[in-house]
Each structure stands twice: as C-alpha cells, then as structure tokens.
Amino acid sequence: LAGSVPEEERCSVERVDASLTYSLFLQRFAFSRPVILGGVTDNSAFRALCTREKLLAAFGPLPVRLSTANTYSYRKVDVPFQEYVERLLQPQDPARLGSDTLYFFGDNNFTEWGPLFQHYVPPPFRIPGTSPAYSFGIAGSGSGVPFHWHGPGFSEVIFGRKRWFLYPPDNPPHFHPNETTLVWLQHTYPTLPPAQRPLECTLRPGEVLYFPDHWWHATLNLDTSVFISTFLG
C-alpha cells in the first residue's frame, strides 16, 4: 500500500515560516484556524533516535499500549513494543473496521520513554493558561485516526508523510465512527461537493501542524510514519 494513498490535490491549510512571531500566532491562528509551521524546530537529533533500529534497541521489550483506530470506543491493548513493530505495524487493511485496527499513539509510559522525549524540541508557541503533554506514535501506511476533536495542539512528522483533514467546530463532518480514515477517503470523500470538503494538507518531516480547540480532524499516514503531538491542556 505504501505510495498508493494519494496526497491532496491542493493544500488548503496556510503555511508560514519561522518569521511568524508569537503575537501574530496568537492573533491569526491560535483561536481561529489551523496553520502549518515550517522551520520553527530542529529535531534532527530526535529524528536520529527514532529509526527502527534505535527504537527497538532502546524499547523493544517494554510494553506499549495500543488504541483502536475509531472515534468512540478506545479499546486498549498492551503488547511488547517489538511485537508491535514486527507483527502489527502493517499497511491498513481497507476491510478492517476501526475497532479491529490497533494503533500506537499516546499512552506511553513517560518514565520509560522520557529519555527519548527529552531530545524533542517542541514548537515555540503556547496558548495562555495551558501546559503541554506529548503523545508519540508509529503507524503503517494507510492507517490513521478518524474524525474526532479535543483541545488545541501541535503535531509534527518525524518520518513519513501524514495527510490531515480538518473541519471547524461548527461544521461537523459526516463519517461513521467505526470506519477508518482510509475507507472514508475512498467512499465518502469523493461524494462531497467542493464546498463541503475539509481543509486538508500533507505534512512532511520537520513540518508542524497547529489545530485550534474543538476543530474536527482525521489523519491518514501515507507511509510508515513516526510522529509526535504536543497537546495543550
């Protein structure tokens, strides 16, 4: 499946560079719309620690908690990290329901994974009154999380490409909560009139997406991907 999941025809999320100031971030994006930030962090050292070989050597025997890739049930399954990488880190099967798809994102033991996260350079912007919390993930091509919403945050791709779909809080998307993002893209997305399509874009390594509070979003990994989010709670 790798390489067969398409990028969007046109990125509809604004991109800005490292010249964006904190005051302009608050004024233009923090409470109103998503934005892709380029060149605001240098995570080359963190990326070097996130290769398959380095992660297996450091964390292979440790248990990780997997979540189902659907919107509401959030079933959790604990497996050794090495088992996830070698057996479960596969391209998404389009016939598999979200409740049967296990996804490695978040729920990491911060004590055990803390030495890795210490090397991550988070985006330089914050929302007043919030504090950051990391969620680290690794997923196969075609996998992703279907539409959901929560508080504001940032997401950075370390390896691979991740396609994002976003709707504002007052325009909830039409989707089945147990349908994977891949199936939604294949069956629902083509039926949407242009005015009903989401904001969308594909993140590449080193790019950071910011999404505001309560924005609906779904993700689709176009390749086997490593990524980390900074949730502002």
Side-chain angles (χ1 to χ4, degrees), residues 23-192:
S23 60
L24 280 178
F25 168 76
L26 290 177
Q27 177 185 332
R28 295 177 56 191
F29 304 109
F31 307 103
S32 58
R33 56 195 168 117
V35 62
I36 296 173
L37 309 170
V40 298
T41 61
D42 177 6
N43 275 302
S44 53
F46 182 74
R47 187 174 296 113
L49 297 173
C50 290
T51 64
R52 175 187 173 103
E53 293 75 15
K54 289 284 183 63
L55 288 176
L56 283 175
F59 304 105
L62 298 180
V64 292
R65 176 155 292 179
L66 310 179
S67 303
T68 49
N70 57 344
T71 300
Y72 298 127
S73 74
Y74 301 116
R75 179 170 64 95
K76 307 291 187 181
V77 177
D78 293 337
V79 300
F81 178 64
Q82 184 165 348
E83 180 181 347
Y84 174 73
V85 171
E86 295 180 349
R87 186 173 68 86
L88 299 175
L89 185 58
Q90 301 290 334
Q92 177 70 48
D93 179 354
R96 189 179 294 272
L97 293 174
S99 56
D100 297 322
T101 301
L102 293 173
Y103 194 78
F104 174 53
F105 180 59
D107 291 312
N108 304 298
N109 183 309
F110 201 89
T111 301
E112 294 174 335
W113 289 78
L116 175 66
F117 298 150
Q118 287 175 4
H119 293 274
Y120 178 64
V121 179
F125 305 132
R126 288 288 175 268
I127 306 298
T130 68
S131 57
Y134 295 147
S135 283
F136 180 69
I138 304 171
S141 58
S143 66
V145 176
F147 282 105
H148 62 289
W149 59 264
H150 44 67
F154 299 92
S155 185
E156 179 169 355
V157 173
I158 306 302
F159 287 111
R161 296 169 299 153
K162 181 185 284 285
R163 186 171 171 180
W164 282 74
F165 308 91
L166 303 111
Y167 284 96
D170 60 354
N171 185 22
H174 174 71
F175 69 101
H176 189 288
N178 202 23
E179 185 177 77
T180 64
T181 306
L182 181 61
V183 170
W184 177 86
L185 178 66
Q186 292 173 336
H187 297 293
T188 302
Y189 181 92
T191 70
L192 298 175

